[in-house]
Amino acid sequence: MRVRPRITPLTAVLALLAVLLGLVGVSPAAAGPAVPTAAARPAKSAEATGTFRNPLNTGPDPFMTYWNGNYYLTTTQGDSIRMWRSPSLGTLLTADPVTVWTDTDASRNQHIWAPEFYRFGNRWYLYYTADDGTDDHHRVYVLESDRDDPAGPYHFKAKPAPPNHASDFAIDPGILQHDGRLYLAYAGINQYQHNGINIAPMSNPYTVSGDAVAINAAGGCDEVREGPEFLSRNGRTWMTYSTCDTGKPDYQVWMMSLANGADPLVPANWQQHSGPVFSRADDHGVYGPGHHAFFRSPDGTEDWIVYHAKSTSAYTYTDRTTRAQKITWNADGSPDLGRPSAMGATQDLPSGDPGSGTYWINDDGRSSGDGTLSYTGTWNSGTGCGTQCFWGDDHWIDQADSTATFTFTGTRIALLSVRDTGNGIAALSVDGGTEQRADFYGAIRTGETVQYISPKLPYGRHTLRVRVTGEHNTSSQAAFVSVDRAEVYTK
């Protein structure tokens, strides 16, 4: 039984990097957890160029690799496969997507989920799942690039399917490379789950050459085992996978391992690790972290995880955004995925990353670069949003024609904040130009949502004005607009 869709119309809109639905005006009565003390907060100062803040993308189910001077990222888009490319991790959010695949075949052109891409020889192979509009008709497909470029163009190559599951539900393909051989790992029907881990041998990157075997993977819930990913180091292959319903805050990552030289098609060869290795961090405002992948730093010295997570503990499939952080290795040779970092936490860029040239402006006017913020009207401010907000605070108001104006030096600005049921419509304008309306309402209260990304601007001094219209849609209870942080891009 399927328990979670991968994408909603809202997610698709977000991925277009237009004005995005969301954001909340936090009501004056809102309560939240403790926030950093004044001593723990940064003073206004120049920030090192070697840092970044999540999110990297507004979509779920990420896969990423670094190749030939750029990071390449895919996330679930539903109607196509899009790819984001950027020389720095910190500028992926504002990179323009390239559509690398659409399909006219009605049997496989809907609900396109979880693309992953691998280089074999001088070609790239892009694996994904899709259906004809019926979820149980999901099958795995593979594309082949026309040249040695992860962004394609691609042509359809095959429908790799194990003979014993040729007509069965299959999603989340991942490639296991073990002892010089290839294997297709995916989530599909087996005796353990509807979405259970299966592994099948491959004779080449697009051909399954034998039956799949089922892996009885633990997971702390009865629902799914999906999104298998692999790390090879210290004489073992480590298979990490996501468990539970991704709509729940307890969606999490578990792990098994396989010794070098052992046959992955013998289920008993897989050794189960006890307990989750990556899970919710309520004190950081992070819920449902999972459906992940791994990538190396540009200089090859560090291992990183890219994953989706939510900023709400509510049961919802929306608000899953792509995030990344560095992982380490334990003394026993196993990977240590750590704990999910708070949204907006400043992290060092991967080793060898050329730098993102970004800085932040907080809602109280503090900035890590050449940025300021001024208000007209009597704005409320406070710390009620706690871990859902950058530095635990934000500003909000429902009085029409009140404004918040960011002044910044750079090429682009992104506005992030919380969304809620009491939010209304704002009008945003850059450098005094034409206003663009954005609805900050959200049916479920969620934190640090990307509300707006400006067009690319000539490098220099610019303004972003947020004007409260006093209007709201019929679902909203009020017309609040709030601001939390802005991310400024200088490259």
Side-chain angles (χ1 to χ4, degrees), residues 50-54 304 324-326 341-342 344-349:
T51 60
F52 77 101
R53 283 155 296 279
N54 286 315
W304 284 66
Q325 61 190 70
K326 183 181 174 182
S341 297
T346 297
Q347 303 181 65
D348 290 336
L349 285 164

Side-chain angles (χ1 to χ4, degrees), residues 191-227:
Q191 62 265 44
Y192 306 114
Q193 287 92 25
H194 183 276
N195 295 21
I197 301 297
N198 295 323
I199 300 177
M202 303 184 79
S203 56
N204 58 45
Y206 49 88
T207 305
V208 170
S209 56
D211 286 347
V213 299
I215 305 299
N216 188 12
C221 64
D222 296 329
E223 293 138 11
V224 303
R225 311 288 186 263
E226 62 185 15

Side-chain angles (χ1 to χ4, degrees), residues 359 408-412 457-462 488-491:
Y359 64 91
F408 62 97
T409 299
T411 60
R412 212 163 198 177
L457 305 166
Y459 178 82
R461 197 72 167 164
H462 299 283
V488 177
Y489 298 80
T490 62
K491 293 183 179 181

